[in-house]
Each structure stands twice: as structure tokens, then as C-alpha cells.
């Protein structure tokens, strides 16, 4: 790879942009006729699934190279860089389509990040010493289609017109597009004399997305100051005050009321909770909802002996102690709105940004594992509103985005989930998480007066403008057109180089070469510098920022969220050492200014002109926090008699084929679990590696020498069905059940329940109405109660609270309230960890806990349709369930358990089936005969209820009495055998495990992304 240009504080924006000159060359790289064209084969499968009559296709990779290159240099580039001579051949120039072929080419739009092109540019410079400009594309020569049909196929499968151009003939421009130098003009925005109506219009039209109260606060500030704001000041305030950055809904004061069937209910249970005041009329005033629930639970636990939570709610990621020398940090975020517009780029930059959160925590952690959870509509959903992408394509592309970014950075993706609901059709949820390891003495960093503001990594472009404010807005059918500029395309290779440079800068000297570090997240330099300089002030020279191309205004430079950039506070005397490392790692470094000034202000200049000056106190403390009304109207439990109970075997097959329960192996196997060599329990377990593991285990410090095999377990809990008010659910129960499921998943692999840290991620429809806000209050109260009961501190979190979509005909599609709980637990001994696959014929399966008859929130209720006798919501017993988790963990630690699996989606019978599928192979089948002693439970509820707190364990018969002594509610379910069948004679169940596995792996209503992966 070639060296990047080094930018110093004295360099200008113009000097970082090389003018385009030289001849344009087009190179087409095709697979040899004797080799398989895998891209063409994939497109043929896509066309077949869409019933499009594509008969044949050939593909070519395209490289447009402009530069002062000789023929010999071009040949060197082609032969040494672009072509694998074993598999490929190259053609210089544009070949004409053959008779009967339709040529379709896909190229990135001007200004869209092209990571492959950037890598080629660097390599060309390394080979030739010439700064060429490169753009890449793909060509598809199709047979059997008209041009219009071929274009339609390209729009559906090959391109996203938000970021791609589709050409129907070979694209060979005379020159590559380039930016034009921005004509500097300081702009002010008239605000002091605007009416409230005009303020509201300005907020929306300028994509500020601030409330009227917030706009009034800004108007008042500038009226007092006697001047109008500059455009960059207004944009800085909008970014800093955005819902995405400041979480003002969760931090608001809430006036909360409860009722049941319209009658007020007693709220006295909340009277002793910090931040809660019971009013005379029975309403509750909650001061700062987040602080009074989730944060309070954590700090109360820390005051009560949880001393291993080292840093919570104050850094990019939460930090917990791993051992005496090392700490582990974890962060999970969402990237929903960008993924709705451009799923691949949105998901890729989602995981890339979360990885940077870990790199930017304390004095930097090394990322060692990633997680992802996706909520999408059903793949066969045909009712897709205008302006939205088909769910199947959305899922394929968000999987690919996370896959490519994580695999290319060399970070294993070890845990996740996928949940399907038709209400996610316009607002897919993309949760991405990252886990890192760091020395215990480097968990805190703080910028010092006089430190240089240093930017490392990718250059700044127009991509990502208004990302923070866009993420805080409601989507509509025009969002792709209106917010295309907010789409970001990541470059994992660039981020890997940045990571390597930062790790060296942290470790290779007596002390780190920087005082503090953070990533350029939402808001770009605005958020990074604004946060780091909150206590000191900062002076920034915007012309020093390296640019991808000319034409950016000073405001765009400041707020752009272009990817792979970190900001460091660097003592002046350490700059040369840092520069040397960056030169060796081919990472661009730029000095943007200094931290600290007399009045603790943010001072922005561009080419010697001051363009913005804001008090840090206004930015961080000046926002008027709202007071919101919240109402929860509970419904009486819904109980009815079932009209018909289906055959249990048929019900089991229907549930196993549901996308929420069916195997996700086609996704999981696209991720690299072996890179870094630290994953000891993987997402797929069992002898055939097809079982859905409850959690993964990572050995974060494999090179340490102390006599311990301690590890960390990573799992999650997601109980949307329990919390959906439109289907009888309660968000309070969703929080309890989600934390319970997360804890159980970790305990099932051997984690210590007394050393589990959790994270919350709220994804909600708009909270502007009191009902939706009431759901949020219920969920937060549930988080408080469950965290206290399980003694699991929240160490970090994130929210996304405007996930609804207005269609072109005026309908509003709101996602169901969604709370993801992610957990990180300490595994005292990796050697004693277990997995969920059934191990040995003759062992018994036992159920720990007793199922309820309540079927509310279960998949049986929704999938089987009206067959459940009791569809009220099951209770979550916070008096029993934490103790049960400790009992199960104790049994595992004592070596009494061979396998363990939590009962969740689909209920007990699905859990047993998954254990059998995981433990069986065609040559060594595992079967099970049910002989249950839970006679007091309705058989249908026993089989399919999703009661929280239940575990299925495999134990050797001789350990049964020892396990009974440790668990109060332990029921023998039956005995494993080698028959390869699941038998429950009392309910006429006799199912072949391999046939169940086939149904589970290939459900009829699942459109597989690639049959070769199934």
C-alpha cells in the first residue's frame, strides 16, 4: 500500500487535494472461461427467485484510472495489481456487448466513498510513484432480457440509486468527476426576529430537527448577544442538542399517570424511588427518566458492592474489570435510519462506528469481538410502501455490511439475533456491538490545556452531512431523496490501519502519546471536539482538515460524519513520535487546533476568518430539557377458551419454520469466528456445528500467564412479544423478560450471574404522544427493577426514538416498542463451560422452573392463531428467578450439567428439539422420549409457553439428586436415547430429528439469501 500525504497544521485544505490530470484508462477484468463466474451465478439465482427470465450472464470488474501513466506502468498495474492470472484476464478499453446481450454497469455516484478505489489508488502510487485517480464499478452482460427488464433487475438486486448510477452501455468518461473549490463566504442565519411559526419552519427546512422550545432558546441567546448566528453555529447547536446525541427524551422530566381499563391505579410503589414524586392526584413526576431508573439502579448497585463496574455512562463504552490487570469495555448502538436508505452502507458504518467507540474509550481498547441484532419485516412481505427497500434485500444487505466490515478488520462477530415483524418494513433496526480489552490503568483519559487537536484516519467528505439530526427525525416516503447526503460508506481497511496506529501509540512508549481519544461519530468533528473540549474550550482551524475532494464549505467540514476518523488530544512534545507511527502505518494525521482557551469557548476559524464562537456552557448545558406527559393504561388479562388445539407435532413444525425460530446459520456462517483465535465457544455448536448457541465465550487475554482460564460470555435478550401493547403486552414485562433471557443465555454457557454487566438499547416509535411515552416509562421502570433484582448493572446504552414512517398516502407505520438487552458476563473457568447440544444417550433432560399457563407474547399465540387457552402475559418473578440463575450456575460450576439451554422462542418443545438437532449427526443420532412429571401444567402450555426463567439441562442420572438439592423447581422431562426421534406418547408426538432439522433449516416462508448456504 502507498503512503498517505501527511497534513500538518500549516497545510491548507487545497494542498490535500490533488488536481485530476492525465489520460483516462478503462480496465475490464473478467473471469477466465474455464473458471466459474460466481457473481454471474449469484445474479442468475436472484433472477430465478424473482421469476425474471435471465438465461445467462457474464460479469466484469471495472477500473477507471486517470493519471499520467505510460503503457508500461499501466501494464504493471494491471498485471501486478488488478488481475489474478490463474482466474482472470483483463481488457483495456470498453468492449462492446455481443449480439443479444444487454449491458448493465453499476458505478458509484460522484462523491460516494469507493473503498476499493482508494486501495487501488494507494497501490498504484506504491507501484509507480504516480498519484492517479481511480473509480470502480461492475459490468453485467445479460442474455434473455430487454433493456428495461435488465435495468429493473439491477435496481432490485445490484444497485441502490441513492449511491449508485446504473448505465445501459459501457461507461467510459473523458475524466473522473472532481470537486470545485468552494467560494468562501461567511453566512449568517436571521433568527432573532423570526416568529414561532417561522422558527418551526426553519428547523425542519434546514434539517435541524429541533423543537420550538429549543429554537426559542437559541433565538433568545442571540437576541441577548445582539447578533445573528452563523450557519456553523446553528448546525453545531442542532447536532449537539439532537435526540441522537443528548438523549433528551430519556433525560426529560416526565408527568406519568397509570390506569387500568380507564380507572386510576395506585402508584405508591414508586414513592421511595429516587427522582420520583407522587403527586396528590396520583400522578408521578419523574425527574430525568434515565437518571432516575437505569442509571440509579447501576449506581445503587455500585454503592452496594458491585465494585467491578469501572466506568459507566460517561465514556464511549462501559468498562468492567476482567482481572487484576485488564478491563473489558462494551458498546452497542443502532444505525437504523441510514440502513433504511442504504442497508449495506448503513450497517457497515454502524458496526464500524461501534468499533471506533471501543477504540475511543478510556485511552483506547483493542476490539476483540462484535455482535449484531437485526429487526426486519418478513422476507416474503410484498406490502412494501413507496420509498422503502424490500425486506429480503434489506436483510441481505445489512448482513453483508456487518460481515464485510468485521471480517476485513479481523474482528470476530460472535453473537446476535434476528427478529421479524411486518411493522419493521420501513424502519429496520440494526443493532451493532463491539467488545474491547484494555489495561486497567488506561480506563480514563482527559484532554489537557494546550493539547493539540489531532485527527487521524479517513479524509472528510460530504457523506454523512446531517446524520445526527437525520437519525432524530421521523422517516417519510421521500427520505431517500431528501437525506441521501446522510448516507455513509465505510472503509474497513482504513479503520484497521487507524486501529494499528493507535494501539502502537498507546503501548510502544512509557506512556500513551495522547491524553484523550474519541471517535468522530454523529456530528463529525463537531461532536468529537465539542465533547472533548467541554471543560476547556477549543480553537479549531477548519482549513487544516484533509478533504476527499474540493468544494466543501467550512460548515460541511465541521459536521460531516465521513467515516474512519478519530480525534486525539496530543501533548505538543509527543506529536513527532505519533507522526512517525502514523507514517509507518500509512495513516493520515492532521493538527486541527488546540484545546483550552480563557473563556472556555468553542472558537472556529476558516482561512484566518472566525466563522463561529459558542460558549461550551451553552452547547452542553443550555438545552431546555422538555417535560413530557406519559400515560399507561393497562388492560385486564385476556383469557379465553381455545376452540381447537392442533396436533402437537404439527404445531412444533409450524413453530420451527417460523423465521424468528428457524436457524440463522446462513447468516452466522458468513462471519469469521476464528480470526484473532480467541473465541472458545462459537455461535454454532455441537458435533455438526449447527446448534444455536445461547452465548459465545471469548478468551480476551490468551497470552496471559497466570493460572486461570477466565473468559467472557457475550449474549443478549430480546422479548418484543412480551412488550407489544397492541397485542396485550406490557413494556415493563419486556424489560424484565429481556434481562432475564440475557442472564439465562450467559448462565447456560457457564457465566457467573454475580458478574454480569448489561446494556440497554431502546428503539421506539415517536414519543411525542403520551401513550408511547408511557410505554417508555414502563420499560425504564422494568429495567430498574430487574437490574436491582439480578444485580446486573447497566454500563452503557443507546436509544433511537423516532422509528416510524409516514407513507405517501398518509398512513403511519410504527415499530413495536423494542428493547434489546446485551450482556457481558465473566466465565470463571472456560474449561468448565458447556454448550446447548445434547451429548449422550442415557442422560436425562430436566426442566428447571415451572411453566405458566399464560401464553401471552409467545409465538404459539401469533403463529398458530387463536388456539391458546390463556393469552395473558406470564409473570416474571423477581423473587425467584435471580436465585434460580445462581442455582443453575452452581450446578454447572460443580460439573453436574452436560448441556444447558434456555427456554425462549417457541417454548420448551422447540428448546428440546434444538438440543437434539445440535447434538445429532446422521451417523450418531440423538433422540428423546418425553415422560414429564409436570402433571399439573396444561400440556399445550408446557410445550409452547415462553415463560421467563426456564432452563433445560442435560444431566447424568447419578447427578439427579445433587441437582434436586440445588434447585427448588426441577422436573424430570425424560431420557435421551439414540433413536434419532423426538417422542411424546401422551401427545402423539413422534418426529424424526433430521426431518425436524430440515424444517428448521429451510422454512417454507423464508426466502434464503443463497441456497448454497442452506
Amino acid at each position: 500500500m502507498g503512503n498517505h500525504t501527511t497534513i500538518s497544521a500549516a497545510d491548507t485544505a487545497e494542498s490535500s487535494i490533488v488536481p485530476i490530470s492525465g489520460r483516462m484508462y478503462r480496465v475490464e477484468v473478467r473471469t477466465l472461461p474455464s473458471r466459474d463466474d460466481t457473481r454471474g451465478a449469484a445474479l442468475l439465482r436472484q433472477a430465478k427467485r424473482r421469476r425474471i427470465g435471465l438465461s445467462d450472464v457474464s460479469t466484469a470488474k471495472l477500473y477507471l484510472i486517470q493519471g499520467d501513466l505510460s503503457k508500461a506502468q499501466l501494464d504493471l498495474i494491471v498485471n501486478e495489481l488488478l488481475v489474478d492470472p490463474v482466474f482472470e484476464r483483463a481488457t483495456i478499453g470498453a468492449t462492446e456487448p455481443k449480439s443479444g446481450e444487454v449491458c448493465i454497469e453499476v458505478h458509484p455516484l460522484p462523491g460516494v466513498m469507493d473503498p476499493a478505489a482508494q486501495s487501488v489508488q494507494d497501490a498504484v502510487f506504491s507501484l509507480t510513484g504516480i498519484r492517479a485517480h481511480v473509480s470502480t464499478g461492475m459490468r453485467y452482460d445479460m442474455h434473455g432480457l430487454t433493456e428495461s427488464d435488465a435495468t429493473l433487475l439491477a435496481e432490485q438486486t445490484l444497485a441502490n440509486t441513492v449511491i449508485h448510477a446504473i448505465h445501459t452501455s459501457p461507461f467510459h468518461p473523458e475524466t473522473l468527476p472532481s470537486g470545485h473549490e468552494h467560494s468562501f463566504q461567511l453566512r449568517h442565519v436571521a433568527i432573532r426576529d423570526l416568529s414561532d411559526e417561522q422558527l418551526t419552519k426553519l428547523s425542519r427546512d434546514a434539517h435541524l430537527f429541533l423543537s420550538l422550545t429549543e429554537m426559542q432558546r437559541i433565538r433568545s441567546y442571540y437576541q441577548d448577544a445582539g447578533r445573528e448566528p452563523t450557519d456553523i453555529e446553528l448546525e453545531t447547536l442542532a447536532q449537539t442538542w439532537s435526540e441522537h446525541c443528548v438523549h433528551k427524551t430519556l433525560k426529560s422530566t416526565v408527568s406519568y399517570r397509570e390506569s387500568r381499563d380507564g380507572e386510576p391505579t395506585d402508584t405508591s410503589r414508586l414513592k421511595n424511588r429516587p427522582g420520583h414524586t407522587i403527586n396528590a392526584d396520583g400522578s408521578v413526576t419523574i425527574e430525568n427518566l434515565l437518571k432516575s431508573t437505569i442509571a440509579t439502579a447501576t449506581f445503587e448497585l455500585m454503592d452496594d458492592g458491585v465494585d467491578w463496574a469501572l466506568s459507566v455512562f460517561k465514556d464511549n463504552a462501559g468498562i468492567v474489570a476482567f482481572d487484576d490487570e485488564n478491563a473489558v469495555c462494551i458498546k452497542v448502538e443502532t444505525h437504523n435510519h441510514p440502513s433504511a436508505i442504504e442497508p449495506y452502507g448503513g450497517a457497515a458504518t454502524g458496526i464500524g462506528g461501534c468499533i471506533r467507540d471501543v477504540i475511543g474509550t478510556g485511552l483506547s481498547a483493542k476490539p476483540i469481538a462484535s455482535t449484531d441484532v437485526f429487526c426486519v419485516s418478513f422476507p416474503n412481505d410484498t406490502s412494501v410502501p413507496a420509498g422503502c427497500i424490500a425486506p429480503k434485500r434489506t436483510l441481505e444487505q445489512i448482513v453483508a455490511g456487518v460481515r464485510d466490515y468485521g471480517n476485513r478488520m479481523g474482528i470476530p462477530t460472535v453473537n446476535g439475533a434476528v427478529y421479524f415483524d411486518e411493522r419493521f418494513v420501513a424502519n429496520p433496526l440494526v443493532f451493532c456491538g463491539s467488545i474491547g480489552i484494555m489495561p486497567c490503568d488506561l480506563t480514563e483519559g482527559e484532554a489537557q490545556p494546550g493539547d493539540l487537536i489531532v485527527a487521524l484516519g479517513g479524509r472528510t467528505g460530504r457523506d454523512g452531512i446531517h446524520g445526527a439530526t437525520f437519525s432524530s427525525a421521523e422517516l417519510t416516503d421521500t427520505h431517500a431523496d431528501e437525506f441521501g447526503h446522510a448516507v455513509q460508506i465505510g472503509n474497513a481497511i482504513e479503520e484497521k490501519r487507524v486501529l494499528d496506529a493507535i494501539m502502537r501509540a498507546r503501548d510502544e512508549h512509557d506512556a500513551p502519546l495522547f491524553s484523550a481519544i474519541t471517535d468522530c461519530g454523529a456530528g463529525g468533528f463537531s461532536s468529537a471536539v465539542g465533547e472533548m473540549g467541554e471543560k476547556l474550550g477549543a480553537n479549531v482551524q477548519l482549513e487544516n482538515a484533509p478533504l476527499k475532494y474540493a468544494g466543501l464549505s467550512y460548515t460541511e467540514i465541521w459536521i460531516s460524519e465521513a467515516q474512519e476518523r478519530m480525534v486525539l488530544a496530543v501533548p505538543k512534545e509527543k506529536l513527532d513520535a505519533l507522526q512517525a507511527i502514523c507514517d509507518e502505518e500509512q495513516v493520515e494525521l492532521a493538527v486541527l487546533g488546540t484545546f483550552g482557551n480563557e473563556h472556555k469557548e468553542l472558537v472556529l476559524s476558516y482561512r484566518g476568518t472566525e466563522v463561529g464562537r459558542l460558549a461550551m456552557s451553552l452547547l452542553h448545558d443550555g438545552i431546555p430539557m422538555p417535560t413530557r406527559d406519559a400515560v399507561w393504561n393497562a388492560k385486564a388479562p385476556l383469557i379465553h377458551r381455545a376452540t381447537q388445539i392442533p396436533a402437537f407435532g404439527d404445531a412444533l413444525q409450524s413453530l420451527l419454520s417460523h423465521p424468528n425460530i428457524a436457524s440463522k446459520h446462513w447468516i452466522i456462517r458468513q462471519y469469521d469466528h476464528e480470526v484473532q483465535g480467541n473465541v472458545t465457544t462459537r455461535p454454532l455448536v455441537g458435533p455438526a456445528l449447527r446448534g444455536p448457541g445461547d452465548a459465545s465465550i471469548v478468551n480476551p487475554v490468551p497470552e496471559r500467564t497466570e493460572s486461570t482460564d477466565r473468559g467472557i460470555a457475550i449474549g443478549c435478550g430480546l422479548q418484543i412479544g412480551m412488550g407489544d401493547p397492541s397485542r396485550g403486552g406490557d413494556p415493563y414485562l419486556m424489560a424484565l423478560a429481556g434481562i432475564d433471557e440475557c442472564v439465562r443465555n450467559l448462565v447456560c454457557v457457564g457465566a457467573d450471574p454475580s458478574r454480569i454487566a448489561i446494556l440497554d438499547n431502546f428503539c421506539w416509535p415517536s414519543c411525542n404522544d403520551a401513550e408511547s411515552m408511557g410505554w417508555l416509562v414502563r420499560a425504564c421502570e422494568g429495567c430498574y427493577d430487574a437490574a436491582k433484582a439480578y444485580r446486573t448493572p447497566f454500563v452503557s446504552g443507546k436509544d433511537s426514538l423516532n422509528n416510524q414512517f409516514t407513507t405517501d398516502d398518509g398512513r403511519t407505520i410504527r415499530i413495536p416498542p423494542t428493547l434489546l438487552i446485551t450482556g457481558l458476563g465473566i466465565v470463571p473457568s472456560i474449561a468448565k463451560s458447556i454448550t446447548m447440544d445434547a451429548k449422550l444417550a442415557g442422560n436425562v433432560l430436566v426442566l428447571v422452573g415451572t411453566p405458566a399457563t399464560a401464553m401471552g407474547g409467545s409465538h404459539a399465540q401469533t403463529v398458530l392463531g387463536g388456539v391458546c387457552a390463556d393469552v395473558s402475559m406470564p409473570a416474571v418473578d423477581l423473587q425467584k428467578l435471580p436465585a434460580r440463575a445462581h442455582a443453575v450456575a452452581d450446578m454447572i460450576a460443580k460439573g453436574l450439567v452436560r448441556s444447558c439451554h434456555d427456554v425462549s422462542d417457541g417454548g420448551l418443545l422447540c428448546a428440546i428439539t434444538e438440543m437434539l438437532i445440535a447434538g445429532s449427526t446422521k451417523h450418531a443420532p440423538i433422540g428423546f422420549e418425553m415422560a414429564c412429571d409436570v402433571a399439573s401444567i396444561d400440556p399445550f402450555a408446557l410445550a409452547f409457553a415462553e415463560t421467563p426463567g426456564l432452563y433445560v439441562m442435560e444431566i447424568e442420572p447419578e447427578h439427579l439428586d445433587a441437582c434436586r438439592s440445588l434447585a427448588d423447581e426441577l422436573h424430570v422431562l425424560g431420557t435421551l436415547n439414540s433413536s434419532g426421534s423426538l417422542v411424546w406418547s401422551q401427545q402423539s408426538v413422534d418426529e424424526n430429528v433430521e426431518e425436524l432439522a430440515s424444517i428448521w433449516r429451510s422454512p417454507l416462508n423464508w426466502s434464503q439469501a443463497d441456497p448454497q448456504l442452506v
Side-chain angles (χ1 to χ4, degrees):
M1 305 297 291
N3 292 321
H4 282 277
T5 304
T6 299
I7 307 298
S8 71
D11 291 320
T12 67
E14 292 93 336
S15 68
S16 68
I17 303 166
V18 182
I20 294 179
S21 64
R23 182 178 173 183
M24 172 68 70
Y25 299 94
R26 174 184 162 111
V27 182
E28 300 179 357
V29 178
R30 289 180 171 80
T31 305
L32 291 171
S34 59
R35 301 288 183 173
D36 292 333
D37 185 344
T38 56
R39 291 184 182 85
L43 182 58
L44 281 170
R45 291 193 297 270
Q46 294 273 15
K48 182 178 180 181
R49 283 197 287 271
R50 287 168 172 78
R51 297 176 180 169
I52 296 175
L54 180 65
S55 59
D56 194 16
V57 62
S58 62
T59 68
K61 293 181 290 185
L62 305 176
Y63 300 92
L64 303 177
I65 305 174
Q66 185 174 2
D68 295 316
L69 299 168
S70 66
K71 183 180 184 304
Q73 290 171 325
L74 181 64
D75 289 342
L76 178 67
I77 292 167
V78 171
N79 295 325
E80 296 296 327
L81 179 62
L82 304 183
V83 175
D84 182 339
V86 178
F87 295 92
E88 297 172 324
R89 60 182 172 85
T91 302
I92 307 299
T95 58
E96 291 299 316
K98 298 177 183 177
S99 177
E101 287 183 341
V102 175
C103 172
I104 294 291
E105 292 192 0
V106 178
H107 294 262
L109 290 170
V112 171
M113 178 65 183
D114 188 347
Q118 181 174 323
S119 295
V120 173
Q121 285 179 181
D122 291 342
V124 167
F125 179 75
S126 181
L127 282 172
T128 67
I130 293 175
R131 291 285 184 190
H133 289 257
V134 180
S135 180
T136 66
M138 283 297 303
R139 172 171 173 164
Y140 303 85
D141 292 305
M142 304 182 189
H143 292 264
L145 297 182
T146 65
E147 184 176 291
S148 60
D149 287 341
T151 302
L152 178 62
L153 179 61
E155 290 174 347
Q156 292 178 343
T157 64
L158 303 176
N160 182 340
T161 54
V162 173
I163 61 170
H164 294 127
I166 299 174
H167 302 272
T168 55
S169 62
F171 180 60
H172 193 177
E174 294 183 358
T175 184
L176 290 175
S178 62
H180 299 284
E181 184 56 40
H182 176 70
S183 177
F184 170 63
Q185 181 179 2
L186 180 60
R187 293 184 63 247
H188 290 81
V189 180
I191 191 174
R192 291 181 295 168
D193 297 326
L194 294 184
S195 66
D196 287 354
E197 181 180 355
Q198 290 170 322
L199 287 176
T200 300
K201 186 176 186 300
L202 172 64
S203 179
R204 180 59 181 83
D205 291 350
H207 297 165
L208 306 177
F209 297 111
L210 295 175
S211 69
L212 176 58
T213 302
E214 290 158 351
M215 293 297 291
Q216 289 169 335
R217 174 71 179 91
I218 295 172
R219 180 179 63 187
S220 174
Y221 175 84
Y222 283 100
Q223 286 174 340
D224 292 343
R227 66 179 182 90
E228 299 287 7
T230 64
D231 53 351
I232 200 170
E233 291 172 342
L234 202 56
E235 293 281 7
T236 303
L237 285 163
Q239 171 269 307
T240 308
W241 289 7
S242 68
E243 181 72 64
H244 182 86
C245 293
V246 80
H247 315 295
K248 52 198 173 190
T249 297
L250 275 167
K251 293 180 180 179
S252 64
T253 295
V254 181
S255 177
Y256 175 62
R257 297 176 182 273
E258 280 187 2
S259 63
R260 177 176 292 278
D261 293 326
E263 295 296 323
T265 56
D266 182 15
T267 55
S268 61
R269 70 184 188 285
L270 302 175
K271 67 180 180 180
N272 293 322
R273 188 163 296 180
H276 292 61
T277 301
I278 310 298
N279 302 312
D281 62 356
S283 65
V284 184
T285 299
I286 306 172
E287 299 289 341
N288 191 323
L289 178 61
L290 178 65
K291 182 178 179 181
S292 297
T293 55
I294 293 169
T296 290
T298 295
F299 291 123
E300 288 178 348
L301 288 169
M302 292 173 71
D303 290 340
D304 190 30
V306 178
D307 56 359
W308 43 269
L310 303 181
S311 176
V312 299
F313 304 123
K314 64 181 182 181
D315 209 332
N316 288 325
I319 308 175
V320 299
F322 176 68
D323 56 25
D324 292 340
E325 297 180 358
N326 298 284
V328 179
C329 65
I330 181 169
K331 181 62 174 290
V332 180
E333 288 200 344
T334 58
H335 223 224
N336 303 337
H337 284 17
S339 299
I341 292 181
E342 210 298 285
Y344 181 88
T349 53
I351 187 61
C354 211
I355 291 169
R356 289 196 301 278
D357 276 331
V358 165
I359 299 172
T361 294
L363 287 177
S364 194
K366 176 188 176 183
I368 57 172
S370 297
T371 71
D372 59 10
V373 173
F374 307 135
C375 297
V376 295
S377 186
F378 294 99
N380 58 354
D381 187 350
T382 57
S383 59
V384 181
C388 298
I389 298 173
K392 177 178 177 292
R393 187 177 185 194
T394 295
L395 179 60
E396 291 173 346
Q397 290 296 299
I398 59 179
V399 168
V402 173
R403 173 199 69 203
D404 288 353
Y405 209 99
N407 290 358
R408 289 167 183 167
M409 278 206 71
I411 301 172
T413 302
V414 300
N415 182 258
V418 185
Y419 189 91
F420 295 88
D421 188 291
E422 65 275 6
R423 289 165 292 177
F424 293 117
V425 65
N427 278 102
L429 305 184
V430 177
F431 301 90
C432 296
S434 183
I435 298 92
I437 188 76
M438 64 199 310
C440 281
D441 59 352
L442 297 181
T443 59
E444 294 185 2
E446 188 171 14
Q448 301 299 312
D451 280 352
L452 299 175
I453 303 170
V454 174
L456 297 186
R459 292 187 167 201
T460 300
R462 192 167 279 112
D463 45 323
I465 301 295
H466 288 144
T469 53
F470 162 58
S471 296
S472 305
E474 176 184 335
L475 298 183
T476 69
D477 62 296
T478 63
H479 61 260
D481 297 327
E482 188 174 2
F483 294 105
H485 57 270
V487 172
Q488 306 156 53
I489 304 298
N491 185 350
I493 303 305
E494 181 73 48
E495 186 158 328
K496 180 62 167 65
R497 291 193 295 225
V498 172
L499 169 62
D500 291 345
I502 290 172
M503 289 295 99
R504 289 184 58 189
R506 188 194 75 175
D507 297 337
E508 286 189 358
H509 295 75
D510 294 337
L513 298 179
F514 47 92
S515 308
I517 181 173
T518 194
D519 73 308
C520 275
F525 291 136
S526 173
S527 61
V529 177
E531 291 170 8
M532 293 178 73
E534 177 181 357
K535 299 177 181 179
L536 300 173
N539 300 304
V540 183
Q541 290 82 50
L542 293 168
E543 69 274 9
N544 290 352
L547 305 183
K548 293 178 182 178
Y549 36 76
L552 270 68
S553 70
Y554 57 86
T555 300
E556 290 172 325
I557 295 171
W558 180 236
I559 67 171
S560 168
E561 296 176 26
Q563 297 293 293
E564 288 80 45
R565 301 175 302 159
M566 304 293 293
V567 174
L568 288 70
V570 179
K572 292 179 181 179
E573 66 273 14
K574 295 183 178 182
L575 180 62
D576 289 344
L578 178 62
Q579 180 73 72
I581 290 174
C582 289
D583 289 344
E584 292 172 5
E585 296 293 341
Q586 303 170 18
V587 172
E588 197 161 20
L589 178 153
V591 178
L592 303 183
T594 57
F595 285 110
N597 55 50
E598 180 182 358
H599 299 291
K600 297 181 180 178
E601 293 176 317
L602 176 65
V603 182
L604 307 174
S605 66
Y606 183 70
R607 300 181 185 175
T609 300
E610 184 178 298
V611 295
R613 181 181 290 265
L614 288 167
M616 285 294 187
S617 58
L618 172 68
L619 276 178
H620 298 286
D621 302 316
I623 180 173
M625 296 305 294
T627 297
R628 295 184 178 272
D629 291 326
V631 175
W632 168 248
N633 184 23
K635 304 292 194 301
L638 179 62
I639 301 175
H640 65 82
R641 296 307 308 168
T643 56
Q644 182 180 3
I645 299 295
F648 278 38
D650 293 343
L652 175 61
Q653 291 186 25
S654 295
L655 289 168
L656 289 174
S657 69
H658 189 277
N660 284 344
I661 300 171
S663 174
K664 310 303 185 298
H665 66 282
W666 73 268
I667 296 176
I668 297 169
R669 286 180 175 162
Q670 296 184 53
Y671 302 141
D672 188 345
H673 312 125
E674 309 304 321
V675 65
Q676 296 194 21
N678 59 3
V679 183
T680 62
T681 297
R682 293 158 182 80
L684 294 174
V685 300
L689 295 178
R690 62 180 184 176
D694 294 290
S696 293
I697 299 177
V698 175
N699 184 346
V701 197
E703 69 273 13
R704 68 188 191 280
T705 58
E706 68 260 30
S707 57
T708 177
D709 62 340
R710 180 178 298 181
I712 56 173
I714 303 160
C716 62
L718 184 68
Q719 287 291 316
I720 295 175
M722 291 277 283
D724 186 356
S726 69
R727 298 177 182 176
D730 182 349
Y732 176 83
L733 292 176
M734 174 173 63
L736 269 56
I739 293 174
D740 169 72
E741 182 185 24
C742 180
V743 169
R744 283 186 291 137
N745 279 327
L746 297 170
V747 166
C748 281
V749 299
D752 178 359
S754 67
R755 286 292 304 274
I756 292 175
I758 58 177
L759 297 84
D760 61 275
N761 283 99
F762 292 89
C763 286
W764 235 247
S766 173
C767 290
N768 289 331
D769 66 276
E771 181 182 52
S772 182
M773 190 67 198
W775 302 342
L776 187 62
V777 172
R778 291 288 292 175
C780 289
E781 301 291 355
C783 285
Y784 175 89
D785 288 340
K788 290 296 295 291
Y790 280 96
R791 294 184 63 79
T792 50
F794 286 96
V795 296
S796 185
K798 195 71 173 178
D799 60 85
S800 175
L801 302 181
N802 270 299
N803 293 283
Q804 59 188 46
F805 182 91
T806 300
T807 65
D808 56 354
D809 59 2
R811 293 179 298 115
T812 298
I813 303 173
R814 307 205 300 176
I815 70 164
T818 301
L819 172 62
L820 171 67
I821 299 295
T822 303
L824 184 150
I826 300 297
V827 179
S829 172
I830 294 175
K832 294 180 179 180
S833 64
I834 60 175
T835 52
M836 53 76 65
D837 48 302
K839 301 298 191 299
L840 187 66
N843 289 344
V844 297
L845 293 185
V846 300
L847 174 65
V848 181
T850 303
T853 58
M855 300 290 292
S858 69
H859 284 79
Q861 176 192 358
T862 55
V863 174
L864 304 179
V867 301
C868 307
D870 179 355
V871 293
S872 61
M873 290 292 156
V876 180
D877 191 340
L878 295 181
Q879 300 301 314
K880 288 184 177 180
L881 300 194
R884 185 179 298 164
H886 282 270
V888 172
D890 196 17
M891 286 184 266
I892 294 173
K894 287 178 164 56
L896 303 177
V897 183
R898 296 297 305 276
S899 65
C900 188
H901 194 27
D902 76 312
V903 178
S904 54
D905 295 341
L908 174 62
L909 210 56
C910 285
I912 293 173
T913 302
E914 289 174 343
M915 295 177 74
L916 300 178
I917 291 172
S920 294
T921 65
K922 292 182 179 179
H923 303 293
I926 293 284
F928 176 70
E929 183 166 0
M930 191 91 156
C932 186
D933 68 356
V934 195
S936 61
I937 301 299
D938 173 76
F940 191 83
L942 174 64
F944 302 117
E946 297 176 14
T947 308
L950 304 183
Y951 304 78
V952 181
M953 299 193 311
E954 175 190 356
I955 61 176
E956 296 170 3
E958 58 267 29
H959 294 153
L960 186 57
D961 288 341
C963 289
R964 286 188 190 278
S965 69
L966 295 171
D968 293 336
E969 298 178 69
L970 189 146
H971 311 280
V972 176
L973 298 174
T975 304
L976 295 170
N977 54 52
S978 57
S979 67
S981 294
L982 171 61
V983 177
W984 189 0
S985 299
Q986 296 93 324
Q987 302 302 329
S988 302
V989 175
D990 189 349
E991 302 285 338
N992 180 272
V993 171
E994 286 304 315
E995 292 178 1
L996 293 176
S998 179
I999 293 170
W1000 177 68
R1001 289 164 61 86
S1002 303
L1004 296 177
N1005 58 349
W1006 176 285
S1007 295
Q1008 286 87 2
D1010 189 338
Q1012 292 183 344
L1013 296 172
V1014 176

